[in-house]
Amino acid sequence: TQLLEQSPQFLSIQEGENLTVYCNSSSVFSSLQWYRQEPGEGPVLLVTVVTGGEVKKLKRLTFQFGDARKDSSLHITAAQPGDTGLYLCAHSYHKLSFGAGTTVTVRA
Amino acid sequence: EPEVTQTPSHQVTQMGQEVILRCVPISNHLYFYWYRQILGQKVEFLVSFYNNEISEKSEIFDDQFSVERPDGSNFTLKIRSTKLEDSAMYFCASRRGDGYTFGSGTRLTVV
């Protein structure tokens, strides 16, 4: 079983601050995906990272895939209350397997 | 934008009763999935379905669970005799390539 460990479990910050959440594993992945889940909704795909060392940007969100393809990070610049949610990393091999997620709360 | 539709959004059932959760995947997607999320826990894989048959299932997906694609558009999850521990959010997902699209889920409460 290829486990994904996400940290921190919870993160609460003030609007305008930056934050980084992490997704780590001892396994090597061909790709990793990041999802955001709001309460009462299903996960929504944010990005797929494929190449070791890859950096992808989605507005104020920056995703990085580790050189060894074992880990990934999500950095949010100048967080806004609308960024509040559960951020999940996942790997796909015939099915999606999720980490436990980081619950991010951005206070106005 | 195409979406995965799930009904009902909430279902309350008595222990031992059968429930059917319904999903309409995106029309040109080929792979279909059911996941569940117990309150405060991670999203867990239940079953995948491709070419009108189960391609993979987890340990959670025991004999009490079944899936069906009865008419080429709907994709259903049946729980034959619900238990208290089946209370969870159930998410349907479909995909064509690498991108998975999830529905908004059905909140199942077993009392």
Side-chain angles (χ1 to χ4, degrees):
Chain A
T1 304
Q2 298 173 303
L3 291 177
L4 291 169
E5 301 284 340
Q6 291 192 247
S7 62
Q9 188 177 358
F10 299 97
L11 191 55
S12 180
I13 60 169
Q14 199 70 33
E15 182 177 5
E17 294 181 339
N18 302 332
L19 68 97
T20 303
V21 299
Y22 301 91
C23 176
N24 296 293
S25 178
S26 57
S27 302
V28 176
F29 299 105
S30 58
S31 66
L32 282 178
Q33 297 184 336
W34 283 92
Y35 289 78
R36 179 163 156 259
Q37 184 182 20
E38 297 189 40
E41 296 292 327
V44 175
L45 177 65
L46 296 174
V47 78
T48 301
V49 287
V50 178
T51 307
E54 180 178 12
V55 176
K56 281 191 173 178
K57 295 198 173 190
L58 189 67
K59 297 183 181 177
R60 293 176 294 99
L61 278 59
T62 301
F63 303 86
Q64 186 161 10
F65 200 14
D67 291 339
R69 291 185 286 122
K70 293 183 178 182
D71 54 84
S72 182
S73 63
L74 158 60
H75 182 80
I76 302 179
T77 304
Q80 298 175 2
D83 296 324
T84 293
L86 176 66
Y87 288 84
L88 299 160
C89 66
H91 70 85
S92 178
Y93 183 70
H94 298 311
K95 64 181 185 291
L96 268 182
S97 298
F98 288 94
T102 295
T103 299
V104 171
T105 303
V106 182
R107 304 184 305 275
Chain B
E1 188 171 326
E3 57 182 31
V4 174
T5 305
Q6 288 188 243
T7 55
S9 56
H10 293 87
Q11 173 102 37
V12 180
T13 188
Q14 290 206 324
M15 192 169 52
Q17 295 295 303
E18 174 183 286
V19 294
I20 297 176
L21 310 183
R22 303 182 190 281
C23 170
V24 179
I26 294 173
S27 60
N28 64 349
H29 283 192
L30 303 175
Y31 300 85
F32 313 109
Y33 305 83
W34 283 101
Y35 286 80
R36 81 171 185 190
Q37 187 177 31
I38 295 171
L39 186 63
Q41 297 187 22
K42 66 191 293 185
V43 179
E44 301 174 290
F45 168 76
L46 291 178
V47 66
S48 58
F49 194 86
Y50 171 73
N51 202 26
N52 286 318
E53 61 183 24
I54 291 174
S55 47
E56 189 173 348
K57 59 184 180 179
S58 72
E59 292 178 352
I60 303 167
F61 195 89
D62 61 22
D63 292 344
Q64 293 300 310
F65 292 86
S66 62
V67 289
E68 204 174 37
R69 189 159 159 80
D71 55 14
S73 62
N74 291 285
F75 180 49
T76 62
L77 174 68
K78 181 192 290 186
I79 310 175
R80 287 190 184 81
S81 178
T82 49
K83 304 187 284 285
L84 294 176
E85 53 265 38
D86 293 328
S87 294
M89 283 289 288
Y90 287 81
F91 294 106
C92 173
S94 68
R95 78 174 172 95
R96 185 174 177 83
D98 289 338
Y100 292 75
T101 302
F102 284 80
S104 296
T106 294
R107 179 174 299 283
L108 176 66
T109 303
V110 182
V111 296

